[in-house]
Amino acid sequence: MDNRQEVREFLTSRRAKITPERAGLPSGTRRRVPGLRRSEVAALADVSVEYYAKLERGNLAGVSPAVLEAVARALQLDDAERAHLLHLAQAADGSDALTRPRRRRATGRWTPHRSLQWTLDAITAGPAFVRNGRMDLLAANALARAFYCDVYNGSRPPNLAHFHFLDPASRRFYPDWDLVADVSVAILRTEAGRNPHDKDLHDLVGELSTRSEEFRTRWGAHNVRHHGTGVKRWHHPIVGELTLAFEGLEMAAEPGLTLTIYTADPGSPSEEGLRLLASWAATQDADTDAEPTTAG
């Protein structure tokens, strides 16, 4: 995930998405590119063709905020894409050290402060968990562990992207598998722009790109997005169909981490499904606590 290559591919992919008609330009004839020409983007951004060509070659170091904003307008970037372009420029400048999430220690797994775990455990009506930008599940309440039981039962630390693309169980778990796949890759791509020096993220993307064509194709699209609220469908192996709303909250005390809470419409079958899942989880915990121990 070299920054110059990332910048080049991101700007090129955004330019290819904008048709002349969408940009208010005549389509003309003999167009050899799927979207706008470099010269057209340069004109829309009010910069020279040579200067825009330099940007698209990956040279964002020293570019002013005004030029970045002009390019964003010319390419009709949405809020997530604008933020991604800014992060790429910060990384090119070497000025992202203060804006990117603090890097975790290379040794040892991050563990939540006990008050955070207390907070998660106090949420009993819905799954609640903390994840990072790599989609590692770092902390969870009992209902979230039951909700993601297939993710937690894997042979590696729980990671939602790894589960989605490399575990066949995800095809059953996500009825809208393709939509969730798009979102998962967009979250990882956003994190790559925000924190380009994350070796664990590099390793994860490398593994998924090698082992999953579905991931590799989506990664090459360079789509990014903010993922803060919405509604999703799941087919849980224990309680069946669930339709839940979610809210993602950025954690001020832990930059780069997100607290996500799933809730069901009151009185809905999904709310009853969560109650059944909570009951099942309590039964599993009770069975584990009751297992006999063998004297050494």
Side-chain angles (χ1 to χ4, degrees), residues 91-105:
D93 272 340
S95 62
D96 65 329
L98 295 178
T99 57
R100 66 174 181 258
R102 294 196 302 268
R103 298 188 67 184
R104 307 292 165 194
R105 290 179 298 173

Side-chain angles (χ1 to χ4, degrees), residues 9-230:
E9 293 178 357
F10 178 67
L11 290 177
T12 301
S13 66
R14 298 312 93 175
R15 177 163 61 86
K17 292 176 64 175
I18 306 297
T19 63
E21 292 81 6
R22 184 175 163 189
L25 299 173
S27 59
T29 58
R30 298 183 180 179
R31 301 189 69 88
R32 294 180 293 178
V33 293
L36 296 180
R37 300 184 177 99
R38 283 182 176 177
S39 59
E40 291 168 331
V41 176
L44 291 169
D46 196 24
V47 298
S48 70
V49 177
E50 293 77 11
Y51 187 75
Y52 179 74
K54 185 185 94 167
L55 301 184
E56 202 170 276
R57 286 195 296 270
N59 298 314
L60 285 187
V63 179
S64 70
V67 169
L68 290 174
E69 177 61 26
V71 170
R73 285 198 305 269
L75 294 175
Q76 301 183 23
L77 303 186
D78 61 24
D79 289 344
E81 291 168 330
R82 285 170 185 261
H84 187 62
L85 181 62
L86 177 60
H87 289 136
L88 292 175
Q90 290 170 337
D93 272 340
S95 62
D96 65 329
L98 295 178
T99 57
R100 66 174 181 258
R102 294 196 302 268
R103 298 188 67 184
R104 307 292 165 194
R105 290 179 298 173
T107 59
R109 179 173 170 79
W110 178 84
T111 55
H113 190 274
R114 59 180 182 171
S115 62
L116 173 57
Q117 190 61 57
W118 293 342
T119 300
L120 292 171
D121 292 339
I123 301 171
T124 58
F129 59 92
V130 174
R131 67 161 179 84
N132 57 20
R134 295 190 303 270
M135 304 189 73
D136 296 321
L137 294 178
L138 301 177
N141 65 1
L143 195 47
R145 291 190 294 272
F147 183 81
Y148 283 122
C149 58
D150 283 341
V151 183
Y152 278 95
N153 287 338
S155 59
R156 55 168 286 144
N159 178 276
L160 293 175
H162 192 278
F163 170 74
H164 192 100
F165 288 99
L166 300 183
D167 192 326
S170 72
R171 297 280 181 173
R172 299 187 299 273
F173 188 58
Y174 297 109
D176 303 311
W177 191 94
D178 286 310
L179 175 61
V180 179
D182 291 342
V183 172
S184 296
V185 177
I187 290 174
L188 293 180
R189 180 59 86 174
T190 302
E191 179 68 6
R194 183 168 50 232
N195 194 7
H197 311 293
D198 187 337
K199 181 181 181 302
D200 291 336
L201 178 59
H202 284 229
D203 292 343
L204 175 63
V205 169
E207 180 184 7
L208 296 179
S209 297
T210 300
R211 299 178 59 188
S212 170
E213 183 179 356
E214 296 271 17
F215 177 87
R216 188 165 57 249
T217 300
R218 287 173 169 83
W219 185 255
H222 288 263
N223 292 328
V224 295
R225 66 177 294 164
H226 293 151
H227 189 62
T229 186

